[in-house]
Amino acid sequence: RFHGEGYQEGYAEGSHVGVVEGRRYGVLHGAKIGSEVGCYRGFALTWQCLLQKYTDEKNSKKIRALDSLIGMIQKFPYEDPTYDKLQEDLEKIRGKFKQVCSMLNIQSDFRIDTERSSLTF
């Protein structure tokens, strides 16, 4: 009897602690992904505006790549944490971002500086 009661109490406590820890983990990593994707979007929109006044073939390729990146970001499922291809789509966005950075001759190392709460490239 004591063994059964102890098991039930331990199971209930473990379930509660697991939910709290899972929520904390989800919030932390969700915020990191949101910051990363948001930074990519701001970067792409800014460069899209800067390149619109130039219409030569070289810049049109860059604009098409930026449009593709923006499209991928707009389709990214922010609201669905159970989306089974979330990591796969995030890797595609990262790859497209690196491609765009290469086309623009910009170093593409994305970092979040936790001490000063700023983004650096």
Side-chain angles (χ1 to χ4, degrees), residues 27-67:
V27 166
L28 174 67
H29 289 281
K32 285 181 182 179
I33 290 172
S35 293
E36 180 180 359
V37 174
C39 182
Y40 295 157
R41 183 172 186 266
F43 172 87
L45 291 172
T46 301
W47 274 100
Q48 186 182 46
C49 288
L50 291 171
L51 293 175
Q52 278 181 346
K53 55 186 160 187
Y54 303 105
T55 58
D56 60 344
E57 180 63 30
K58 193 175 180 182
N59 284 320
S60 68
K61 287 181 182 179
K62 294 173 186 177
I63 291 172
R64 282 195 303 271
L66 286 164
D67 289 341

Short mmCIF file of all heavy atoms in Angstrom, two decimals, residues 27-67:
data_model
loop_
_atom_site.label_atom_id
_atom_site.label_comp_id
_atom_site.label_asym_id
_atom_site.label_seq_id
_atom_site.Cartn_x
_atom_site.Cartn_y
_atom_site.Cartn_z
N VAL A 27 9.76 28.13 -23.82
CA VAL A 27 9.78 29.59 -23.89
C VAL A 27 11.18 30.08 -24.28
O VAL A 27 11.33 30.94 -25.15
CB VAL A 27 9.33 30.22 -22.55
CG1 VAL A 27 9.66 31.70 -22.48
CG2 VAL A 27 7.85 29.99 -22.34
N LEU A 28 12.19 29.51 -23.67
CA LEU A 28 13.57 29.93 -23.95
C LEU A 28 13.94 29.66 -25.40
O LEU A 28 14.40 30.56 -26.11
CB LEU A 28 14.54 29.19 -23.02
CG LEU A 28 16.02 29.42 -23.28
CD1 LEU A 28 16.40 30.87 -22.98
CD2 LEU A 28 16.86 28.47 -22.45
N HIS A 29 13.71 28.45 -25.87
CA HIS A 29 14.10 28.11 -27.23
C HIS A 29 13.17 28.72 -28.27
O HIS A 29 13.62 29.07 -29.37
CB HIS A 29 14.21 26.59 -27.38
CG HIS A 29 15.40 26.06 -26.65
ND1 HIS A 29 16.67 26.14 -27.16
CD2 HIS A 29 15.52 25.49 -25.44
CE1 HIS A 29 17.53 25.64 -26.30
NE2 HIS A 29 16.85 25.23 -25.23
N GLY A 30 11.92 28.89 -27.94
CA GLY A 30 11.01 29.59 -28.84
C GLY A 30 11.43 31.04 -29.03
O GLY A 30 11.38 31.57 -30.15
N ALA A 31 11.86 31.68 -27.97
CA ALA A 31 12.32 33.07 -28.05
C ALA A 31 13.59 33.16 -28.91
O ALA A 31 13.74 34.10 -29.70
CB ALA A 31 12.58 33.63 -26.66
N LYS A 32 14.48 32.20 -28.77
CA LYS A 32 15.71 32.21 -29.57
C LYS A 32 15.39 32.06 -31.06
O LYS A 32 15.93 32.79 -31.89
CB LYS A 32 16.65 31.08 -29.13
CG LYS A 32 17.36 31.35 -27.83
CD LYS A 32 18.28 30.21 -27.48
CE LYS A 32 18.96 30.43 -26.14
NZ LYS A 32 19.85 29.33 -25.78
N ILE A 33 14.50 31.13 -31.38
CA ILE A 33 14.12 30.92 -32.78
C ILE A 33 13.40 32.16 -33.31
O ILE A 33 13.66 32.61 -34.43
CB ILE A 33 13.26 29.66 -32.93
CG1 ILE A 33 14.11 28.42 -32.69
CG2 ILE A 33 12.59 29.60 -34.30
CD1 ILE A 33 13.33 27.12 -32.63
N GLY A 34 12.52 32.73 -32.51
CA GLY A 34 11.81 33.94 -32.92
C GLY A 34 12.76 35.10 -33.18
O GLY A 34 12.61 35.83 -34.16
N SER A 35 13.75 35.27 -32.33
CA SER A 35 14.74 36.34 -32.53
C SER A 35 15.55 36.11 -33.79
O SER A 35 15.80 37.04 -34.56
CB SER A 35 15.69 36.40 -31.34
OG SER A 35 15.03 36.83 -30.19
N GLU A 36 15.94 34.87 -34.00
CA GLU A 36 16.74 34.54 -35.18
C GLU A 36 15.95 34.80 -36.46
O GLU A 36 16.42 35.48 -37.37
CB GLU A 36 17.18 33.08 -35.11
CG GLU A 36 18.02 32.63 -36.27
CD GLU A 36 18.43 31.17 -36.17
OE1 GLU A 36 18.09 30.49 -35.18
OE2 GLU A 36 19.10 30.72 -37.12
N VAL A 37 14.75 34.25 -36.55
CA VAL A 37 13.94 34.40 -37.76
C VAL A 37 13.53 35.86 -37.95
O VAL A 37 13.52 36.37 -39.08
CB VAL A 37 12.72 33.46 -37.72
CG1 VAL A 37 11.79 33.72 -38.89
CG2 VAL A 37 13.16 32.01 -37.72
N GLY A 38 13.22 36.56 -36.87
CA GLY A 38 12.88 37.97 -36.96
C GLY A 38 14.05 38.81 -37.48
O GLY A 38 13.85 39.74 -38.27
N CYS A 39 15.24 38.47 -37.06
CA CYS A 39 16.43 39.16 -37.54
C CYS A 39 16.62 38.92 -39.03
O CYS A 39 16.92 39.84 -39.79
CB CYS A 39 17.65 38.70 -36.75
SG CYS A 39 19.16 39.56 -37.23
N TYR A 40 16.43 37.67 -39.46
CA TYR A 40 16.53 37.36 -40.89
C TYR A 40 15.51 38.16 -41.69
O TYR A 40 15.82 38.67 -42.77
CB TYR A 40 16.29 35.87 -41.14
CG TYR A 40 17.32 34.93 -40.56
CD1 TYR A 40 17.00 33.61 -40.31
CD2 TYR A 40 18.61 35.35 -40.25
CE1 TYR A 40 17.93 32.73 -39.78
CE2 TYR A 40 19.54 34.48 -39.72
CZ TYR A 40 19.20 33.17 -39.48
OH TYR A 40 20.11 32.29 -38.96
N ARG A 41 14.30 38.26 -41.18
CA ARG A 41 13.25 39.00 -41.88
C ARG A 41 13.59 40.48 -42.00
O ARG A 41 13.45 41.07 -43.06
CB ARG A 41 11.91 38.82 -41.17
CG ARG A 41 10.77 39.49 -41.88
CD ARG A 41 9.42 39.12 -41.23
NE ARG A 41 8.34 39.66 -42.00
CZ ARG A 41 7.76 40.83 -41.75
NH1 ARG A 41 8.16 41.57 -40.73
NH2 ARG A 41 6.78 41.26 -42.50
N GLY A 42 14.02 41.08 -40.90
CA GLY A 42 14.40 42.49 -40.93
C GLY A 42 15.56 42.74 -41.88
O GLY A 42 15.56 43.71 -42.64
N PHE A 43 16.53 41.84 -41.86
CA PHE A 43 17.68 41.92 -42.76
C PHE A 43 17.21 41.88 -44.21
O PHE A 43 17.59 42.72 -45.04
CB PHE A 43 18.62 40.75 -42.45
CG PHE A 43 19.76 40.60 -43.41
CD1 PHE A 43 20.95 41.27 -43.22
CD2 PHE A 43 19.65 39.74 -44.50
CE1 PHE A 43 22.00 41.12 -44.11
CE2 PHE A 43 20.69 39.58 -45.38
CZ PHE A 43 21.87 40.27 -45.19
N ALA A 44 16.36 40.91 -44.53
CA ALA A 44 15.90 40.72 -45.91
C ALA A 44 15.06 41.90 -46.38
O ALA A 44 15.22 42.38 -47.52
CB ALA A 44 15.11 39.41 -46.03
N LEU A 45 14.15 42.38 -45.54
CA LEU A 45 13.32 43.52 -45.93
C LEU A 45 14.15 44.79 -46.15
O LEU A 45 13.89 45.56 -47.08
CB LEU A 45 12.24 43.77 -44.88
CG LEU A 45 11.15 42.70 -44.79
CD1 LEU A 45 10.24 42.97 -43.59
CD2 LEU A 45 10.34 42.64 -46.07
N THR A 46 15.15 44.98 -45.31
CA THR A 46 16.01 46.15 -45.46
C THR A 46 16.78 46.10 -46.77
O THR A 46 16.82 47.08 -47.53
CB THR A 46 16.99 46.25 -44.27
OG1 THR A 46 16.24 46.35 -43.06
CG2 THR A 46 17.92 47.45 -44.42
N TRP A 47 17.40 44.95 -47.06
CA TRP A 47 18.15 44.82 -48.30
C TRP A 47 17.25 44.87 -49.52
O TRP A 47 17.63 45.39 -50.57
CB TRP A 47 18.99 43.55 -48.29
CG TRP A 47 20.31 43.79 -47.63
CD1 TRP A 47 20.67 43.48 -46.36
CD2 TRP A 47 21.43 44.45 -48.22
NE1 TRP A 47 21.95 43.91 -46.12
CE2 TRP A 47 22.44 44.51 -47.25
CE3 TRP A 47 21.67 45.01 -49.46
CZ2 TRP A 47 23.68 45.08 -47.48
CZ3 TRP A 47 22.91 45.59 -49.71
CH2 TRP A 47 23.90 45.62 -48.73
N GLN A 48 16.04 44.36 -49.39
CA GLN A 48 15.09 44.43 -50.49
C GLN A 48 14.79 45.89 -50.84
O GLN A 48 14.79 46.27 -52.01
CB GLN A 48 13.81 43.69 -50.11
CG GLN A 48 12.81 43.57 -51.23
CD GLN A 48 11.54 42.88 -50.75
OE1 GLN A 48 11.02 43.20 -49.68
NE2 GLN A 48 11.06 41.93 -51.54
N CYS A 49 14.58 46.71 -49.82
CA CYS A 49 14.34 48.15 -50.04
C CYS A 49 15.56 48.84 -50.64
O CYS A 49 15.43 49.68 -51.54
CB CYS A 49 13.95 48.83 -48.74
SG CYS A 49 12.31 48.41 -48.16
N LEU A 50 16.75 48.48 -50.16
CA LEU A 50 17.97 49.11 -50.66
C LEU A 50 18.25 48.77 -52.12
O LEU A 50 18.77 49.60 -52.86
CB LEU A 50 19.17 48.69 -49.80
CG LEU A 50 19.20 49.24 -48.37
CD1 LEU A 50 20.31 48.59 -47.58
CD2 LEU A 50 19.37 50.75 -48.39
N LEU A 51 17.91 47.56 -52.53
CA LEU A 51 18.23 47.12 -53.88
C LEU A 51 17.15 47.43 -54.91
O LEU A 51 17.37 47.25 -56.11
CB LEU A 51 18.52 45.61 -53.89
CG LEU A 51 19.77 45.17 -53.15
CD1 LEU A 51 19.87 43.65 -53.13
CD2 LEU A 51 21.02 45.77 -53.78
N GLN A 52 15.99 47.89 -54.49
CA GLN A 52 14.89 48.14 -55.43
C GLN A 52 15.21 49.22 -56.45
O GLN A 52 14.71 49.16 -57.57
CB GLN A 52 13.61 48.52 -54.67
CG GLN A 52 12.87 47.33 -54.14
CD GLN A 52 11.60 47.74 -53.43
OE1 GLN A 52 11.39 48.89 -53.10
NE2 GLN A 52 10.75 46.76 -53.17
N LYS A 53 16.05 50.16 -56.12
CA LYS A 53 16.34 51.24 -57.06
C LYS A 53 17.34 50.84 -58.14
O LYS A 53 17.52 51.54 -59.11
CB LYS A 53 16.81 52.49 -56.32
CG LYS A 53 17.98 52.30 -55.40
CD LYS A 53 18.24 53.58 -54.62
CE LYS A 53 19.06 53.27 -53.38
NZ LYS A 53 19.19 54.42 -52.53
N TYR A 54 17.98 49.67 -57.98
CA TYR A 54 18.92 49.17 -58.98
C TYR A 54 18.27 48.03 -59.75
O TYR A 54 17.82 47.06 -59.16
CB TYR A 54 20.20 48.68 -58.32
CG TYR A 54 20.87 49.74 -57.47
CD1 TYR A 54 20.80 49.69 -56.09
CD2 TYR A 54 21.55 50.80 -58.06
CE1 TYR A 54 21.39 50.67 -55.30
CE2 TYR A 54 22.15 51.78 -57.29
CZ TYR A 54 22.07 51.70 -55.91
OH TYR A 54 22.65 52.66 -55.14
N THR A 55 18.22 48.13 -61.06
CA THR A 55 17.48 47.14 -61.86
C THR A 55 18.36 46.31 -62.77
O THR A 55 17.85 45.66 -63.68
CB THR A 55 16.41 47.86 -62.70
OG1 THR A 55 17.06 48.83 -63.54
CG2 THR A 55 15.36 48.52 -61.83
N ASP A 56 19.66 46.30 -62.58
CA ASP A 56 20.50 45.48 -63.46
C ASP A 56 20.35 43.99 -63.12
O ASP A 56 19.77 43.63 -62.10
CB ASP A 56 21.97 45.92 -63.37
CG ASP A 56 22.55 45.81 -61.97
OD1 ASP A 56 21.76 45.68 -61.02
OD2 ASP A 56 23.78 45.86 -61.84
N GLU A 57 20.85 43.13 -63.98
CA GLU A 57 20.70 41.68 -63.84
C GLU A 57 21.32 41.15 -62.55
O GLU A 57 20.76 40.30 -61.89
CB GLU A 57 21.32 40.97 -65.05
CG GLU A 57 21.22 39.46 -65.01
CD GLU A 57 19.77 38.96 -65.03
OE1 GLU A 57 18.91 39.63 -65.61
OE2 GLU A 57 19.53 37.88 -64.46
N LYS A 58 22.45 41.68 -62.19
CA LYS A 58 23.15 41.24 -60.98
C LYS A 58 22.29 41.45 -59.73
O LYS A 58 22.16 40.58 -58.88
CB LYS A 58 24.48 42.00 -60.86
CG LYS A 58 25.44 41.46 -59.85
CD LYS A 58 26.74 42.24 -59.95
CE LYS A 58 27.75 41.75 -58.97
NZ LYS A 58 28.99 42.52 -59.02
N ASN A 59 21.67 42.62 -59.64
CA ASN A 59 20.84 42.93 -58.48
C ASN A 59 19.48 42.23 -58.55
O ASN A 59 18.88 41.96 -57.51
CB ASN A 59 20.66 44.43 -58.33
CG ASN A 59 21.90 45.08 -57.77
OD1 ASN A 59 22.54 44.54 -56.88
ND2 ASN A 59 22.27 46.23 -58.29
N SER A 60 19.00 41.93 -59.73
CA SER A 60 17.71 41.23 -59.82
C SER A 60 17.83 39.81 -59.26
O SER A 60 16.88 39.30 -58.66
CB SER A 60 17.19 41.22 -61.26
OG SER A 60 17.99 40.41 -62.08
N LYS A 61 18.98 39.19 -59.40
CA LYS A 61 19.20 37.86 -58.79
C LYS A 61 19.18 37.98 -57.27
O LYS A 61 18.62 37.13 -56.59
CB LYS A 61 20.52 37.26 -59.25
CG LYS A 61 20.52 36.79 -60.68
CD LYS A 61 21.86 36.18 -61.03
CE LYS A 61 21.88 35.75 -62.48
NZ LYS A 61 23.18 35.17 -62.86
N LYS A 62 19.80 39.01 -56.76
CA LYS A 62 19.81 39.24 -55.32
C LYS A 62 18.39 39.49 -54.80
O LYS A 62 18.00 38.96 -53.76
CB LYS A 62 20.71 40.43 -54.98
CG LYS A 62 22.18 40.18 -55.27
CD LYS A 62 22.99 41.44 -55.06
CE LYS A 62 24.42 41.25 -55.48
NZ LYS A 62 25.22 42.48 -55.35
N ILE A 63 17.64 40.28 -55.54
CA ILE A 63 16.27 40.59 -55.13
C ILE A 63 15.41 39.32 -55.15
O ILE A 63 14.59 39.10 -54.25
CB ILE A 63 15.67 41.71 -56.01
CG1 ILE A 63 16.38 43.03 -55.70
CG2 ILE A 63 14.17 41.84 -55.78
CD1 ILE A 63 16.03 44.17 -56.64
N ARG A 64 15.59 38.47 -56.16
CA ARG A 64 14.83 37.21 -56.21
C ARG A 64 15.18 36.32 -55.02
O ARG A 64 14.30 35.69 -54.43
CB ARG A 64 15.09 36.47 -57.52
CG ARG A 64 14.33 37.05 -58.69
CD ARG A 64 14.31 36.11 -59.89
NE ARG A 64 15.62 35.72 -60.37
CZ ARG A 64 16.33 36.38 -61.28
NH1 ARG A 64 15.83 37.48 -61.82
NH2 ARG A 64 17.51 35.94 -61.66
N ALA A 65 16.46 36.27 -54.66
CA ALA A 65 16.87 35.47 -53.50
C ALA A 65 16.28 36.04 -52.21
O ALA A 65 15.82 35.29 -51.35
CB ALA A 65 18.39 35.40 -53.41
N LEU A 66 16.27 37.37 -52.09
CA LEU A 66 15.66 38.01 -50.93
C LEU A 66 14.16 37.75 -50.87
O LEU A 66 13.61 37.46 -49.80
CB LEU A 66 15.92 39.52 -50.95
CG LEU A 66 17.34 39.95 -50.60
CD1 LEU A 66 17.58 41.39 -51.03
CD2 LEU A 66 17.61 39.78 -49.12
N ASP A 67 13.49 37.81 -52.03
CA ASP A 67 12.05 37.51 -52.09
C ASP A 67 11.78 36.08 -51.65
O ASP A 67 10.81 35.81 -50.94
CB ASP A 67 11.50 37.73 -53.50
CG ASP A 67 11.43 39.20 -53.88
OD1 ASP A 67 11.45 40.06 -52.97
OD2 ASP A 67 11.35 39.49 -55.10
#
